[in-house]
Amino acid sequence: MISKPVPLYSAPLRKRCPVCGFTSYSAEGIHPQCAAEQADAERLAEYKRAPKPVKPKSTSGLHAWQRLCRKCKAVVHVRKTICQCGHILTATKRDSGGP
Ligand SMILES: [Zn+2]
Ligand SMILES: [Zn+2]
């Protein structure tokens, strides 16, 4: 009686899914759902890498309702006429052009 020949390639090394670490039987060695997850993670990483619009600090660009005291360089509200340092804030440019 002749026993069955041992196949040259025994059970192929089962690949491990690089995502979840569990054995995968698929040809790619990765679970389809894990592959999708990985692709999703890459997309997410790409999204995170993208530069976010940063709000400009009020140090240089003043808001419309803010003005800078010429004396102490403090940011003062436009409605205020006197700065915290005591400097009297001049009227808005709109008014300085009159006769
Ligand atoms: Zn997996
Ligand atoms: Zn001031």
Side-chain angles (χ1 to χ4, degrees):
M1 217 168 171
I2 301 160
S3 59
K4 267 188 172 179
V6 181
L8 285 171
Y9 51 94
S10 55
L13 266 172
R14 280 181 231 137
K15 289 174 185 172
R16 278 201 176 188
C17 173
V19 178
C20 65
F22 284 95
T23 313
S24 170
Y25 295 92
S26 70
E28 288 86 13
I30 183 169
H31 301 116
Q33 73 266 24
C34 287
E37 208 172 284
Q38 196 180 42
D40 223 43
E42 270 174 32
R43 215 179 305 142
L44 204 75
E46 193 96 6
Y47 175 77
K48 278 183 180 174
R49 233 178 290 138
K52 285 180 194 168
V54 186
K55 269 192 173 181
K57 284 201 171 182
S58 57
T59 43
S60 53
L62 293 171
H63 289 285
W65 61 88
Q66 289 175 329
R67 62 198 301 188
L68 210 66
C69 171
R70 282 191 200 172
K71 204 175 174 187
C72 70
K73 309 288 183 198
V75 179
V76 192
H77 196 273
V78 279
R79 289 284 186 89
K80 281 200 171 184
T81 49
I82 300 169
C83 176
Q84 55 185 5
C85 71
H87 178 74
I88 295 163
L89 300 161
T90 48
T92 49
K93 280 176 185 176
R94 231 181 337 189
D95 301 327
S96 61

